Amino acid sequence: MNLALFDFDGTITSSDTWTPFMRSAVRPVRLLAGRVLLLPVVVGYRLGIISASWGRQVAVMVAFRGDDAARVRRRGTAYAADVLPSTLRPEALDRIAWHKAAGDEVVIVSGSLDVYLAPWCEAQGLLCICSTLEERAGRFTGRYTEGDCAGPEKVRRVRSKYDLDRYEVIYGYGDSLEDRELLALAHRKFYRWSEIRDWTEVMAHGHPRAAPGATRPE
C-alpha cells in the first residue's frame, strides 16, 4: 500500500479558504475589534518578526474565544458544502481519485480549520490531519488543541498517526514553504503539480514567498 499526503489550500484548492471562512463565521463585532487588535500582528508579520503560523493562532484567539462551538461548526459544515466546491482544482480531484482507485491511503494534511475541512474530507471519504479548535463545555477556548498544523508540525502529526515503514511509496503534494518538511518526507514529491527531486529545485526556480500580510494556512 502507498500513502498520499496532500496539502489543502493552494494545492487542492485554487485559492485561500481560511480567510473567507473567518470572514463568514466570525461575529461582526469581533471582526471590527480584530481590525484593531490584530494590527500589530499584521505589521510584525510584514516586518518578518512574526510568522504566519503564529499570526493565525492569534487571529483565532480573537475570533473564537468563548464562542458557541455548535454555531461555528454549523458555519463550517455549510462552508464545506456551499463554498469549497467552487475552489477545488480539477487536477487535484483527479489525482485523489487516481490514488483511491489504486488502493492508496489518502490523507489531507493542512493548517485549515477542522470545523470546515473535516466535514469536506468526510464527504469525500478522505482522512484528515489539520488545525483543530479546542472546545470546553460547548465553547471554543480560542486555542488549537495541538497548535497550528504547518511546517514541521505536519510531519510530527503524520509520524504520530502512521507507521511510515508500512508504505511502499509515500507521495507528497504541496505548494508553499510551509509544505517543505512534508515534501521531504515523501519518496515522490509534487510542488504545484510538478514533480521535484528535492527542495533545491523549488528554490532554483525562484520560489515565491507568501505575500505580505497573508495568513492563510497551507
Side-chain angles (χ1 to χ4, degrees):
M1 179 186 292
N2 299 327
L3 177 66
L5 305 171
F6 284 83
D7 165 56
F8 190 66
D9 271 24
T11 300
I12 292 177
T13 71
S14 60
S15 60
D16 168 27
T17 64
W18 190 91
T19 303
F21 173 73
M22 294 292 283
R23 288 173 179 162
S24 68
V26 177
R27 296 181 187 277
V29 66
R30 294 202 182 197
L31 283 175
L32 291 174
R35 292 177 184 175
V36 176
L37 296 174
L38 295 175
L39 183 59
V41 176
V42 173
V43 172
Y45 174 72
R46 290 179 175 175
L47 293 175
I49 300 171
I50 293 174
S51 70
S53 176
W54 194 81
R56 289 193 293 268
Q57 294 178 73
V58 174
V60 162
M61 175 66 74
V62 173
F64 295 130
R65 184 177 182 181
D67 205 346
D68 177 45
R71 182 194 74 84
V72 180
R73 293 192 189 284
R74 286 195 298 271
R75 290 295 185 94
T77 299
Y79 186 78
D82 300 335
V83 178
L84 289 185
S86 66
T87 71
L88 302 175
R89 294 180 182 273
E91 64 267 36
L93 298 180
D94 288 345
R95 191 65 172 179
I96 290 171
W98 179 80
H99 279 293
K100 291 175 72 174
D104 298 341
E105 199 156 5
V106 181
V107 186
I108 310 304
V109 188
S110 172
S112 294
L113 298 175
D114 66 309
V115 291
Y116 67 85
L117 186 56
W120 182 82
C121 287
E122 183 177 3
Q124 303 301 314
L126 302 173
L127 300 170
C128 178
I129 297 174
C130 62
S131 295
T132 302
L133 295 175
E134 183 182 67
E135 180 182 343
R136 292 181 183 174
R139 299 278 174 179
F140 285 133
T141 66
R143 295 186 293 270
Y144 291 148
T145 57
E146 296 182 86
D148 188 41
C149 187
E153 180 63 16
K154 289 189 174 186
V155 173
R156 186 195 72 77
R157 295 199 198 181
V158 168
R159 289 190 180 278
S160 72
K161 291 180 179 293
Y162 299 95
D163 178 5
L164 300 184
D165 292 334
R166 291 180 52 238
Y167 301 98
E168 184 176 350
V169 179
I170 299 173
Y171 293 80
Y173 299 86
D175 79 307
S176 79
L177 188 62
E178 290 191 350
D179 299 315
R180 179 175 181 173
E181 292 83 3
L182 186 70
L183 294 184
L185 194 67
H187 301 115
R188 296 191 63 182
K189 318 169 198 302
F190 294 83
Y191 180 82
R192 299 186 178 180
W193 298 103
S194 293
E195 188 164 10
I196 61 172
R197 288 171 296 181
D198 56 49
W199 193 258
T200 59
E201 291 187 27
V202 172
M203 303 308 294
H205 289 83
H207 166 73
R209 299 184 65 85
T215 56
R216 72 173 179 87
E218 305 300 342

